[in-house]
């Protein structure tokens, strides 16, 4: 990047840069984001009649396209330049453009504080880079998020190259493996790594003489005499295959062999999935609007995990010992549960044999608050006590320690960190959505937002949990490091300021192999293609059709003048991020869209009086105002009622029956559960270009991404698609089929949970073979917890006690 900056300064293009900066100063602002800088540059190029290539290909054009932030001081210009994915540089230019310097992050963070009149000398600086300096690191940004594959390669090429060392390590690992004191895999008859190798050869010879499907119980005694306990497999052929994998691994360590062998090690039996703040239940409630997707995620993940673990236990031959998987969703008990089961301490998860929802109440610092549901922005004061209480309940339910703790969202991950630290258990972090990048300038203006959002506690907890976790599961690549044009969610924690609180110099190593992309699946018993007529109930189909198109109800708004037009469907809670008002505005501004389509909006609420907070009430009212402004009453159906998942599945299929499409118009989406549901149902789907939808849809050449700030461009994309469908009716079918197949093959729960369990095993293997700088890093996280997080949480508690 130095050469590019130098090229601008040493050419006539420095004049262009100076004129652009003058234009920005004239706007009366001091702080600019990438979109504003690019727009100003485009306007400049047009006014100056620059050739088209100048905007992209000139040195100054390339520099501007890499600039993500700009701060204009009286005597200085500061640029945040992102020369490539996962890389940030901070540049200082003098106002007269006579000098330029690459600066450390600290300097830019000081300038940011001055921007909001909150500069404080000697502020606390958080720098975690030292904890990752000696750890293995992904070198190619394209491989970020593929930590499992990286660790397999690293272990085989750097650690297990010495056969004797490899043998001894594997012996030590296998020898310590047990289930509640019962030895698995090998017993004390095998004395060393060398002895293990000898016994493997004998066991393989013995097993090769047995019928392939001979049950393990018929020759268990003979294997025990050789030193092998149950866990290698359930039949002679399965056990022989596993031992042969181990033999190959010892002789010639290869990543594929290591992964195949570790996947067969029976090491995970008890799993905790932590989801704290939502209404986590099954009958009559599935989370609040703000956590609906997360609750569905953990319930489906729990079912899939129990199936996965049961299958692994069976294939390992351990079911004959009475070993069963045990999965618990840990959440909070809510005494004032509004008619739901959220006040039950224990609830079995439907469709499972041994998966449960365990509810533990928040400590009663203030029953007026803790006996009720608490927003995700308010739960922070109660989490430490909750973790201590939950530990006792979990140990009682499991009759032992869990083998894996999976945190969900920031609060769940903070509890996971506290539990994993006390129990010495593997911790998996799943953020779902990091709030910091969702709320523009939320760190810079945190003090103004603190009364509503308590971001100081949340962002500190994010730093703690993402760095403390053994591995991090994300749904997409962009969640980690974004795109060439946008920063990722985790990347936004790399360097930032919380004025008057602390500076983060280096908050996360984006190249760490702890990052792993493991996208979720879809419940295919509920969400499946509209073309599967044999799996659909005609009565349910008619009921949903009438609900969407003809029924009159106090919770349904709008009467369709022509219900036979194609439908534009969207399913989402009413929040500013989901941008339902933007979609309605786009529809209202396009007479052509109204001529071709009806707009169907499925939410949980219809009236401002039903809102749970002022922001939600404002969005509901704004949507009503837009409908009135553009006279959309005969072109829109707004269904404001909560439907069970089974009915939502049929909503997608009914709209697909009529040749409709699905539109996800959010300003940003971390991943997009409804996108998966719509696509697998066979609905051609258009979705926001900001976030995880980029990786779900695969834009192809046809253009299914939408810019939610560009109403005219959105309308044109949808109309172009509809024109093609009208001209070539088979086109809708082609798009419907490839979208449905894509979700079915790539986004399914079996793939997700098999990868999740394998990651937990590889993580445990890694920590055993190559103990990382974990203890020092965890001590640092504990320091942040006690010295920063807890005082911020106590301030929230003080507010609650005054209610």
């Amino acid at each position: 990047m130095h050469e590019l900056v130098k090229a601008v300064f040493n050419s006539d293009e420095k004049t262009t840069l100076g004129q652009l900066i003058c234009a920005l100063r004239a706007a009366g602002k001091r702080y600019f984001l990438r979109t504003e800088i690019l727009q100003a540059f485009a306007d400049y190029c047009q006014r100056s009649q620059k050739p088209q290539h100048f905007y992209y290909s000139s040195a100054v054009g390339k520099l501007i396209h890499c600039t993500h932030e700009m701060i204009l001081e009286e005597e200085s210009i500061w640029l945040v330049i992102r020369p490539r994915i996962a890389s940030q540089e901070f540049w200082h230019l003098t106002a007269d453009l006579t000098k330029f310097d690459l600066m450390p992050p600290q300097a830019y963070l000081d300038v940011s504080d001055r921007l909001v009149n909150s500069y404080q000398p000697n502020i606390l600086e958080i720098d975690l880079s030292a904890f990752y300096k000696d750890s293995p690191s992904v070198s190619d940004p394209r491989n970020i998020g593929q930590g499992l594959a990286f660790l397999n390669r690293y272990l085989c090429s750097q650690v297990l190259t010495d056969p004797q060392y490899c043998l001894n390590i594997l012996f030590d690992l296998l020898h310590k493996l047990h289930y509640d004191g019962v030895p698995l895999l090998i017993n004390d008859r095998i004395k060393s790594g060398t002895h293990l190798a000898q016994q493997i050869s004998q066991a393989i010879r013995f097993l090769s003489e047995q019928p392939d499907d001979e049950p393990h119980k018929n020759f268990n005694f003979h294997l025990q005499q050789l030193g092998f306990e149950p866990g290698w497999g359930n039949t002679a052929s399965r056990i022989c295959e596993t031992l042969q994998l181990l033999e190959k691994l010892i002789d010639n360590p290869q990543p594929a062999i290591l992964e195949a062998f570790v996947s067969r090690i029976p090491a995970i039996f008890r799993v905790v999935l932590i989801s704290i703040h939502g209404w986590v239940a099954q009958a009559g409630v599935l989370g609040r609007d703000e956590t609906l997707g997360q609750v569905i995620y953990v319930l489906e993940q729990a079912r899939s995990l129990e199936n996965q673990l049961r299958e692994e236990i069976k294939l390992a031959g351990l079911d004959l010992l009475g070993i069963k998987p045990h999965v618990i969703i840990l959440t909070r008990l809510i005494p004032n549960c509004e008619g739901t089961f959220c006040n039950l301490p224990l609830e079995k998860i439907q469709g499972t044999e041994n998966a449960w929802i365990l509810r533990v109440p928040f400590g009663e610092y203030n029953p007026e608050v803790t006996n009720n549901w608490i927003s995700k922005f308010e739960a922070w004061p109660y989490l430490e006590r909750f973790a201590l209480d939950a530990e006792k309940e979990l140990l009682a339910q499991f009759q032992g320690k869990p083998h894996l703790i999976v945190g969900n969202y920031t609060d769940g991950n903070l509890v996971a960190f506290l539990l994993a630290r006390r129990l010495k258990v593997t911790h998996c972090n799943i953020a779902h959505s990091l709030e910091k990048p969702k709320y523009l300038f939320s760190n810079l203006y945190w003090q103004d937002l603190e009364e509503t959002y308590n971001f100081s506690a949340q962002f500190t907890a994010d730093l703690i949990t993402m760095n403390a976790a053994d591995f991090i599961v994300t749904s997409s690549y962009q969640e980690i490091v974004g795109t060439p044009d946008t920063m990722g969610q985790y990347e936004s924690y790399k360097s930032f300021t919380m004025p008057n609180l602390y500076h983060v110099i280096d908050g996360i190593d984006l190249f760490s192999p702890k990052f792993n992309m493991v996208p979720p699946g879809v419940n295919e018993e509920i969400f499946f293609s509209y073309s599967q007529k044999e799996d659909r109930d005609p009565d349910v189909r008619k009921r949903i059709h009438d609900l969407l198109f003809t029924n009159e109800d106090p919770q349904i708004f709008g009467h369709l003048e022509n219900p036979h037009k194609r439908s534009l469907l969207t399913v989402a809670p009413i929040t500013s991020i989901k941008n339902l008002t933007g979609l309605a505005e786009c529809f209202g501004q396009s007479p052509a869209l109204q001529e071709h389509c009806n707009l169907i909006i499925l939410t949980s609420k219809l009236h401002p009086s039903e809102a749970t907070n002022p922001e939600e009430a404002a969005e509901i009212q704004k949507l009503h105002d837009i409908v009135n402004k553009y006279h959309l009453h005969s072109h829109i159906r707004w269904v404001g009622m909560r439907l069970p998942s089974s009915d939502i599945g049929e909503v997608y299929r009914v709209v697909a029956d009529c040749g409709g499409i699905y539109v996800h118009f959010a300003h940003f989406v971390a991943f997009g559960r409804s996108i998966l549901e719509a696509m697998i149902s066979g609905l051609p789907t258009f979705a926001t270009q900001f976030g995880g939808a980029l990786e779900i849809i695969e834009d192809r050449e046809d253009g299914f991404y939408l810019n939610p700030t560009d109403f005219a461009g959105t309308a044109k994309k949808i109309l172009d698609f509809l024109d093609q469908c009208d001209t070539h009716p088979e086109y809708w079918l082609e798009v419907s089929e490839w979208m449905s197949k894509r979700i079915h093959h790539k986004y399914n729960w079996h793939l997700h949970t098999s990868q999740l369990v394998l990651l937990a095993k590889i993580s445990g293997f890694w920590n055993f073979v190559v103990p990382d700088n974990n203890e020092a890093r965890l001590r640092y996280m504990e320091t942040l917890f006690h010295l920063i997080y807890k005082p911020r949480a106590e301030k929230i508690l003080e507010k609650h006690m005054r209610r």
Side-chain angles (χ1 to χ4, degrees):
M1 188 52 63
H2 181 273
E3 292 302 317
L4 181 60
V5 178
K6 185 178 178 181
V8 173
F9 269 66
N10 291 342
S11 70
D12 293 340
E13 293 182 16
K14 184 168 75 169
T15 303
T16 298
L17 180 60
Q19 292 171 343
L20 173 63
I21 290 170
C22 286
L24 290 170
R25 286 189 187 277
K29 293 174 57 178
R30 296 171 59 199
Y31 182 85
F32 298 88
L33 293 173
R34 183 174 186 269
T35 52
E36 298 171 302
I37 299 167
L38 285 174
Q39 185 59 55
F41 184 54
D43 293 343
Y44 169 83
C45 291
Q46 186 174 15
R47 286 195 310 270
S48 304
Q49 297 183 334
K50 297 289 186 183
Q52 187 172 6
H53 68 83
F54 185 86
Y55 177 76
Y56 293 102
S57 304
S58 63
V60 69
K62 292 176 181 177
L63 179 65
I64 293 302
H65 276 82
C66 291
T67 301
H68 280 250
E69 297 177 29
M70 181 184 296
I71 294 178
L72 302 179
E73 292 192 302
E74 188 172 338
E75 300 297 329
S76 301
I77 302 151
W78 293 83
L79 308 179
V80 178
I81 295 178
R82 192 169 178 255
R84 65 192 67 85
I85 279 178
S87 175
Q88 296 178 36
E89 296 178 2
F90 304 92
W91 287 83
H92 169 252
L93 317 180
T94 56
D96 58 4
L97 298 184
T98 58
K99 187 179 179 183
F100 60 91
D101 293 292
L102 178 64
M103 303 296 287
Q106 293 93 317
Y108 183 77
L109 298 180
D110 283 342
V111 172
S112 299
D113 288 354
R114 289 200 296 268
L115 180 71
V116 293
N117 300 315
S118 295
Y119 174 70
Q120 175 185 330
N122 303 317
I123 194 170
L124 172 65
E125 294 182 343
I126 298 172
D127 187 349
L128 303 174
S129 58
F131 298 111
Y132 295 99
K133 184 173 63 174
D134 298 323
S135 301
S137 180
V138 175
S139 58
D140 189 337
R142 292 172 297 182
N143 293 330
I144 289 174
Q146 300 177 36
L148 175 64
F150 174 86
L151 281 183
N152 287 338
R153 291 194 302 271
Y154 185 88
L155 284 164
C156 290
S157 64
Q158 302 291 325
V159 180
L160 304 179
T161 52
D162 181 346
Q164 188 59 47
Y165 174 76
C166 176
L167 188 56
N168 291 336
I169 282 289
L170 290 169
F171 167 75
D172 289 340
L173 175 69
L174 300 177
H175 192 258
K176 291 183 178 182
L177 202 62
H178 64 86
Y179 177 83
D180 292 349
V182 177
L184 303 177
L185 299 182
I186 64 175
N187 57 40
D188 290 338
R189 288 187 175 89
I190 298 178
K191 305 297 184 183
S192 66
T194 302
H195 191 200
L196 173 63
Q198 295 169 353
Q199 297 302 91
I200 289 173
S201 298
Q202 286 195 45
I204 290 174
R205 281 197 298 270
F206 168 76
L207 292 165
S208 63
E209 297 170 356
Q210 310 303 312
D212 286 350
D213 59 354
E214 186 73 10
H216 171 251
K217 63 180 181 180
N218 292 350
F219 51 82
N220 180 44
F221 178 76
H222 186 87
L223 287 182
Q224 284 182 320
Q225 293 299 109
L226 292 174
F228 295 99
E229 292 293 331
W232 297 96
N234 58 341
T235 64
S237 62
R238 177 83 179 179
I239 297 171
C240 191
E241 286 173 8
T242 307
L243 288 172
Q244 286 171 339
L245 282 171
L246 177 57
E247 190 174 52
K248 291 177 182 177
L249 183 61
I250 294 168
D251 292 339
N252 183 25
Q254 296 293 326
I257 297 172
L258 175 63
E259 182 172 318
F261 174 70
V262 172
S263 71
R264 294 193 178 200
I265 294 178
I268 308 293
F269 304 100
R270 296 188 286 250
V271 181
V272 184
L273 310 174
I274 306 179
S275 180
I276 302 295
H277 58 271
W279 293 84
V280 182
Q282 300 171 96
V285 59
L286 270 177
R288 294 274 184 169
D289 280 348
E290 68 178 29
T291 56
L292 175 62
Q294 183 189 138
V295 174
I296 293 174
Y297 180 105
V298 294
L299 283 168
E300 293 182 356
Q301 187 184 58
R303 294 187 185 99
S304 184
L305 262 174
E306 197 222 20
N307 287 333
Q308 177 71 28
L309 294 176
R310 188 187 307 115
E311 181 65 17
E312 288 192 5
I313 288 169
K314 179 181 178 181
L315 288 174
L318 295 177
D319 54 333
L320 297 177
L321 298 183
I323 295 176
K324 296 179 180 179
H326 195 169
V327 177
I328 287 177
I329 296 176
L330 173 65
T331 189
R332 64 172 296 234
L333 185 145
I334 307 174
N336 298 334
C337 61
E338 302 179 19
T340 71
F341 290 152
C342 292
N343 63 343
L344 293 182
L346 200 63
E347 179 185 355
K348 189 174 182 181
I349 297 174
Q350 297 162 7
T352 70
E353 293 181 14
N354 199 24
W356 304 80
I357 301 171
L358 173 65
R359 302 185 182 92
V360 177
F362 279 170
E364 294 185 0
Y365 299 103
N366 181 1
E368 293 296 318
V369 174
T370 56
N371 282 352
N372 302 293
W373 176 79
I374 300 174
S375 163
K376 63 183 179 180
F377 299 114
E378 301 282 334
W380 313 111
Y382 312 106
L383 298 182
E384 184 178 19
R385 168 75 179 274
F386 177 86
L388 294 172
D389 294 341
E391 179 184 356
K392 300 173 187 174
E393 297 295 331
L394 286 170
L395 291 175
Q397 289 295 323
F398 281 137
Q399 294 294 298
K401 293 199 309 183
H403 302 108
L404 173 64
I405 297 176
V406 181
N408 291 272
Y409 195 70
T410 307
D411 51 5
N413 275 299
L414 191 69
V415 172
F417 158 67
L418 296 170
L419 284 172
R421 184 73 171 133
R422 290 175 60 85
L423 297 173
K424 309 298 182 188
V425 175
T426 301
H427 169 202
C428 166
N429 176 304
I430 303 180
H432 292 288
S433 177
L434 291 162
E435 299 296 331
K436 180 175 169 292
K438 284 169 59 177
Y439 292 83
L440 198 60
F441 310 129
S442 53
N443 61 290
L444 197 59
Y445 295 100
W446 71 270
Q447 292 166 97
D448 299 332
L449 301 169
E450 192 74 351
E451 183 65 28
T452 303
Y453 296 110
N454 298 306
F455 283 144
S456 63
Q458 178 150 13
F459 297 169
T460 304
D462 283 332
L463 282 173
I464 292 168
T465 57
M466 67 178 64
N467 284 284
D470 292 285
F471 64 97
I472 298 171
V473 161
T474 71
S475 297
S476 62
Y477 178 83
Q478 66 78 31
E479 191 176 334
I480 310 169
V481 289
T483 70
D485 298 327
T486 60
M487 288 189 185
Q489 293 187 59
Y490 283 95
E491 188 178 2
S492 73
Y493 284 78
K494 184 70 173 173
S495 180
F496 66 95
T497 176
M498 300 284 282
N500 297 125
L501 187 61
Y502 55 70
H503 283 175
V504 175
I505 308 305
D506 195 328
I508 186 68
D509 181 8
L510 301 169
F511 291 85
S512 170
K514 71 165 56 183
F515 283 106
N516 285 271
M517 292 181 290
V518 187
V522 183
N523 185 341
E524 295 190 36
E525 293 182 2
I526 294 175
F527 303 101
F528 53 86
S529 175
Y530 77 100
S531 62
Q532 295 174 220
K533 306 294 186 184
E534 67 280 3
D535 296 321
R536 299 174 64 182
D537 185 327
D539 293 335
V540 174
R541 182 193 179 284
K542 184 179 186 307
R543 175 169 59 81
I544 296 300
H545 184 276
D546 294 345
L547 177 77
L548 294 180
F549 295 104
T550 60
N551 282 1
E552 294 186 5
D553 188 280
Q555 290 303 117
I556 300 177
F557 179 83
H559 179 79
L560 299 180
E561 183 179 71
N562 183 355
H564 300 294
K565 293 178 183 178
R566 291 187 191 269
S567 299
L568 306 183
L569 171 68
T570 190
V571 180
I574 301 184
T575 66
S576 58
I577 293 290
K578 297 301 183 183
N579 195 32
L580 297 183
T581 55
L583 178 59
E585 185 98 29
C586 173
F587 185 71
Q589 289 183 9
S590 174
L593 272 181
Q594 296 170 46
E595 182 182 346
H596 283 77
C597 309
N598 293 313
L599 178 60
I600 299 179
I601 298 176
L602 179 59
T603 72
S604 61
K605 295 164 187 172
L606 184 62
H607 306 289
S609 59
E610 298 165 358
T612 56
N613 58 66
E615 179 187 357
E616 185 179 48
E619 283 295 303
I620 295 173
Q621 185 58 54
K622 184 178 178 182
L623 190 50
H624 279 288
D625 293 343
I626 290 170
V627 172
N628 292 330
K629 176 181 178 181
Y630 294 103
H631 309 292
L632 300 177
H633 305 78
S634 60
H635 300 283
I636 191 172
R637 289 278 284 182
W638 176 0
V639 181
M641 58 180 71
R642 172 159 288 178
L643 301 180
S645 295
S646 56
D647 281 359
I648 294 175
E650 192 61 24
V651 166
Y652 293 122
R653 290 188 288 272
V654 165
V655 173
D657 288 335
C658 304
I661 64 175
Y662 186 75
V663 182
H664 193 289
F665 207 54
H667 288 300
F668 175 84
V669 57
F671 186 65
R673 178 180 54 83
S674 67
I675 297 173
L676 299 183
E677 295 169 355
M679 287 176 67
I680 201 168
S681 302
L683 270 178
T685 297
F686 290 78
T688 177
Q689 67 187 40
F690 301 118
L694 289 171
E695 293 168 48
I696 298 175
I697 291 181
E698 272 197 335
D699 199 36
R700 302 203 313 178
E701 72 281 358
D702 304 300
F704 291 93
Y705 300 153
L706 303 176
N707 182 344
T709 65
D710 180 4
F711 294 166
T714 291
K716 184 177 186 307
K717 276 196 174 184
I718 293 174
L719 289 167
D720 286 347
F721 173 77
L722 296 179
D723 285 344
Q724 289 190 66
C725 293
D726 292 341
T727 305
H728 306 285
E730 70 279 2
Y731 181 65
W732 187 97
L733 294 171
E734 291 172 4
V735 173
S736 167
E737 186 174 355
W738 76 253
M739 285 195 170
S740 183
K741 285 182 177 179
R742 174 166 173 77
I743 304 305
H744 177 74
H745 292 300
K746 185 170 181 179
Y747 297 94
N748 65 73
W749 280 113
H750 174 70
L751 280 176
H752 172 93
T753 49
S754 61
Q755 282 292 101
L756 180 63
V757 173
L758 179 58
L759 277 166
K761 292 177 180 179
I762 288 288
S763 179
F765 184 70
W766 168 259
N767 288 331
F768 181 83
V769 176
V770 189
D772 201 355
N773 194 14
N774 286 343
E775 186 59 29
R777 187 173 74 248
L778 290 171
R779 287 291 185 188
Y780 194 100
M781 295 307 109
E782 286 179 333
T783 301
L784 296 181
F785 176 79
H786 287 288
L787 298 185
I788 301 179
Y789 173 83
K790 285 185 69 172
R792 302 310 308 177
E794 286 165 3
K795 287 184 178 295
I796 302 169
L797 182 59
E798 290 173 6
K799 289 191 298 184
H800 288 185
M801 297 298 285
R802 292 194 294 268
R803 290 182 182 175

